[in-house]
């Protein structure tokens, strides 16, 4: 049985940020990671992926950005290398290749069963991230014919069968994958549901400059009229390209991407779409206009101007046949769910999600970090996890018996 005052589960940016904060406070801890440091960045994203946020926004606790390209966008490989350097710099107590099989409350602490033996801890932090279990809403085998994969399995156009591709989902992953495929000369059909359209730059600044300057990224749930709606808001249609161009429905239309509504069903080698495409486009355009008007007011811009709108298709496909072989692949950019069957049952809500208030659960000593809107709008962003990590470290410090801590 191995012991630590605190066990952090997950060695992505959230787990490593908290490790730094606990180390600074002299709190004994260990970080258990089932893969490698930054494993999801390594193995659940496509090869050409770059971060959506500019470099200046990606600082971690104790490590402000000090590079020469603050407005650039880091490749996923460079970011993973940065995480590894960060862990080495602070001598983070990371144990890789260790999967937590169960974590249960016992006495005044927790018993953890792992693939590398048992642990006990006085506090546990779930820092496994918001993207845990890929969701494919329809059984892939029911499609009959085309290769069906989740966006987390997509790597590059050349690794798909030749021919057309249906991409389901028009948030950040869906539009970027559709853009790459169309750029490679593929026929692409994009199934569009609720989405959020914003420009990469506005008034000469990256859109995140304005979101941060206006305090929107730091908004807390209690500041919002509809916090649950904000939590469910789709990820932004953005891409971290060196040319800083937009990647959204308008630019995809210009590349020849065919837009369709939400997927309603899959049966008899045919996909059925809802007739709601124009409705979702109009809603996204209206929301974008409201936000850009707020930015203009904040910036004191005297001359209003508007982005090129997404063209409303004159006719939308209601069905797509998969029998003729024109569509050879389906990529489901349909998001993720969390899976907590291994965790203390008392910590879970009615739908099996980890129940918490600002990262603090109802189970004494059990905390969460790195989840979407954990404490504020940017809680699951690289640059937003630091302030949450400091707050959770303070909560842990209060929880622990200071006289009983082991030396770090």
């Amino acid at each position: 049985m191995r012991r630590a005052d605190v066990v952090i589960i997950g060695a992505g940016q959230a787990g490593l940020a908290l490790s730094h904060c606990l180390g600074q406070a002299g709190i004994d801890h260990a970080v258990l990671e089932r893969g490698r440091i930054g494993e999801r960045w390594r193995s659940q994203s496509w090869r050409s992926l770059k971060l959506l946020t500019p470099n200046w926004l990606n600082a971690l606790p104790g490590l402000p950005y000090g590079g020469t390209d603050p407005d650039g966008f880091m490749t996923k490989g460079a970011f993973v290398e940065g995480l590894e350097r960060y862990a080495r710099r602070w001598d983070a107590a990371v144990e890789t290749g260790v999967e937590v099989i169960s974590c249960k409350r016992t006495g005044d602490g927790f018993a953890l069963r792992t693939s590398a033996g048992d642990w006990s801890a006085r506090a546990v932090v779930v820092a496994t991230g918001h993207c845990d279990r890929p969701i494919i809403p329809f059984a892939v085998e029911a499609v009959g014919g085309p290769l069906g994969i989740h966006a987390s399995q997509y790597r590059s156009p050349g690794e798909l069968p030749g021919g057309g591709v249906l991409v389901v989902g028009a948030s950040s992953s869906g539009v970027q994958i559709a853009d790459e495929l169309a750029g490679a000369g593929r026929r692409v059909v994009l199934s569009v549901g609720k989405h959020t359209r914003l420009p990469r730059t506005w008034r000469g600044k990256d859109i995140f400059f304005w979101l941060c300057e206006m305090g929107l990224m730091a908004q807390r749930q209690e500041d919002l009229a509809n916090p649950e709606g904000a939590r469910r808001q789709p990820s932004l249609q953005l891409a971290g390209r060196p040319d800083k161009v937009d990647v959204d429905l308008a630019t995809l239309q210009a590349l020849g991407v065919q837009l369709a509504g939400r997927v309603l069903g899959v049966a008899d080698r045919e996909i059925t779409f809802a007739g709601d495409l124009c409705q979702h486009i109009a809603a996204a355009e209206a929301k974008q206009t409201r936000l850009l008007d707020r930015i203009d007011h904040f910036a004191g811009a005297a001359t209003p101007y508007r982005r090129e709108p997404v063209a409303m298709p004159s006719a939308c496909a209601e069905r797509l046949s998969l029998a003729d072989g024109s569509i050879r692949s389906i990529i489901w950019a349909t998001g993720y769910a969390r899976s907590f069957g291994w965790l203390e049952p008392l910590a879970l809500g009615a739908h099996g999600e980890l129940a918490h208030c600002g990262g603090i659960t109802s189970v004494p000593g059990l905390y969460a970090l790195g989840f979407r809107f954990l404490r504020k709008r940017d809680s699951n962003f690289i640059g937003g996890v630091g302030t949450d990590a400091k707050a959770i470290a303070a909560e842990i410090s209060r929880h622990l018996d200071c006289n009983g801590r082991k030396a770090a």
Side-chain angles (χ1 to χ4, degrees), residues 15 28 45 67 71 93 114 131 137 165 169 187 220 253 262 343 362 364 366 393 407:
D28 168 67
S45 57
D71 294 316
T114 83
C131 301
V165 184
R187 177 201 174 191
R220 300 174 68 86
Q253 283 179 321
R262 290 178 300 111
L343 193 56
S362 61
L366 182 63

Side-chain angles (χ1 to χ4, degrees), residues 4 21 50 99 118 128 140 186 191-192 197 199-200 213 219 223-224 230 237 245 253 287 305 326 339 362 388 390 401:
C21 294
K50 293 190 174 184
E99 181 176 5
D118 295 339
T128 51
V140 174
R186 297 296 191 97
S191 170
V192 179
R197 185 188 185 211
R200 177 73 267 178
E213 284 291 302
Q219 281 182 317
D223 301 328
L224 304 174
Q237 287 183 342
V245 300
Q253 283 179 321
K287 187 171 185 178
Y305 65 93
S326 61
S339 178
S362 61
D388 282 4
K390 293 173 185 176
D401 177 3

Side-chain angles (χ1 to χ4, degrees), residues 73-86:
F73 301 95
M74 199 177 303
T75 66
K76 69 168 186 176
F79 178 64
V80 168
E81 291 174 2
L83 286 180
E84 291 178 324
R85 288 195 301 272
Y86 184 72

Side-chain angles (χ1 to χ4, degrees), residues 208-226:
F208 280 110
F209 169 84
W210 299 113
L211 298 180
C212 292
E213 284 291 302
M214 295 169 63
L216 299 181
M217 296 298 286
Q219 281 182 317
R220 300 174 68 86
Q221 291 192 52
E222 54 265 31
D223 301 328
L224 304 174
N226 182 10

Side-chain angles (χ1 to χ4, degrees), residues 218-249:
Q219 281 182 317
R220 300 174 68 86
Q221 291 192 52
E222 54 265 31
D223 301 328
L224 304 174
N226 182 10
E228 188 57 33
R231 190 192 300 274
R232 295 180 179 178
Q233 181 177 334
S235 58
L236 306 178
Q237 287 183 342
L238 293 174
R241 290 174 45 158
D243 54 12
K244 297 180 173 59
V245 300
D246 297 324
V247 176
D248 57 18
L249 300 189

Side-chain angles (χ1 to χ4, degrees), residues 45-63:
S45 57
W46 57 97
R47 300 190 192 285
S48 65
L49 176 67
K50 293 190 174 184
L51 303 191
L52 294 183
T53 46
N55 293 332
W56 60 262
L57 191 55
N58 298 327
L60 290 172
L63 190 63

